[in-house]
Amino acid sequence: MRLVLLGPPGAGKGTQANQLSQHWQIVHISTGDLFRYHLAHNTELGQSAKEYMQSGRLVPDNITEAMLKDRIAQPDVLESQGFVLDGFPRTVPQGLALDALLAARHERLDRVVLIEVPTDALVQRLVGRRTCSVCKANYHVQYHPPHVEGICDLCGGSLIQRDDDQLETVKVRLAVYHEETEPLVSFYRQAGLLATVDGNQDPVSVTAATIQAVKGGSHD
Ligand code: AP5
Ligand code: MG
């Protein structure tokens, strides 16, 4: 199963990708998480991505595509039943690059799921999000608080707020989504791959709707 999750910042791509990777036993690949790993380890790639991420803009396509190409060639991806991409592609050129990468492996995407959520809900989700500094699990101060404030339920790590979850940066990320990523919606609709899911419901219902959509239930 080869899936792409498409949707604005805060739509729940990471939350749902976790569930889908468990459901289908496939690898969850988040380009945002990969960049944050490089940033935290101060690698050359992290240094090139830093100023883009902190300001809420997209890292240039050539850097992002090279990172993704490297990731999908790793043994865990090659040995698994597929992957769920979370945050890639994010521009039409990235979509074309992904097609080419997969075609070279005689593979293709099975489905692209667009998770739709109204803008005001996205903003609330992002400014209230907290992430475990160790295992990267996501929480929300209102919708999904940890049992003990500031501490991850799963691993006991401390919870932090992402730098790009400040309100001003969130606004930039939303504008960038509309300008640069939304054209992928018609790109994938034309390719006959797009399914749309209402992401403005509880996470368990969103997972059920996404699985249904992937199986062919609600094809756009
Ligand atoms: P990235 O990390 O991909 O961020 P994003 O797309 O802005 O998306 P988020 O991770 O913020 O949101 P999400 O949709 O994963 O939602 P989540 O599940 O966390 O990218 C960060 C940066 O990296 C980019 O700005 C760019 O600079 C760079 N980058 C990454 N990929 C790139 C690419 N391909 N090209 C160029 N640059 C790239 O949920 C959000 C919150 O809501 C959480 O608190 C969660 O608990 C809560 N929540 C989730 N679902 C629900 C629900 N159903 N109801 C209520 N609350 C919910
Ligand atoms: Mg995410």
Side-chain angles (χ1 to χ4, degrees), residues 61-118:
D61 285 342
N62 60 333
I63 298 177
T64 309
E65 287 165 15
M67 182 178 71
L68 193 274
K69 182 180 180 186
D70 178 66
R71 182 65 188 93
I72 67 168
Q74 298 296 316
D76 63 326
V77 178
L78 297 176
E79 287 159 15
S80 109
Q81 297 302 306
F83 52 74
V84 51
L85 291 180
D86 153 15
F88 188 97
R90 248 179 158 102
T91 62
V92 171
Q94 288 183 17
L96 292 166
L98 178 61
D99 284 350
L101 279 176
L102 294 181
R105 290 158 50 141
H106 308 289
E107 294 174 356
R108 64 185 301 266
L109 292 174
D110 292 295
R111 194 56 71 107
V112 175
V113 180
L114 170 65
I115 306 175
E116 291 187 313
V117 176

Side-chain angles (χ1 to χ4, degrees), residues 7-16 30-33 35-36 52-53 56-59 64 86-90 94 125-126 129-130 138-140 143-144 162 164-165 173 199 201-203 206:
K13 301 183 295 298
T15 304
Q16 296 305 323
S30 158
T31 43
D33 286 348
F35 279 132
R36 279 184 288 278
Y52 297 101
M53 293 183 74
R57 289 174 298 136
L58 295 184
V59 180
T64 309
D86 153 15
F88 188 97
R90 248 179 158 102
Q94 288 183 17
R125 285 183 186 187
L126 291 171
R129 170 168 54 190
R130 299 294 180 270
N138 270 335
Y139 296 85
H140 190 280
Y143 310 132
H144 177 31
R162 262 170 57 174
D164 61 350
D165 280 347
R173 288 162 62 201
Q201 43 184 343
D202 67 274
V206 180

Side-chain angles (χ1 to χ4, degrees), residues 130-163:
R130 299 294 180 270
T131 306
C132 175
S133 54
V134 179
C135 75
K136 312 300 171 202
N138 270 335
Y139 296 85
H140 190 280
V141 289
Q142 268 170 289
Y143 310 132
H144 177 31
H147 295 310
V148 180
E149 198 184 327
I151 304 293
C152 179
D153 294 348
L154 303 177
C155 76
S158 55
L159 303 186
I160 52 165
Q161 184 173 29
R162 262 170 57 174
D163 284 348

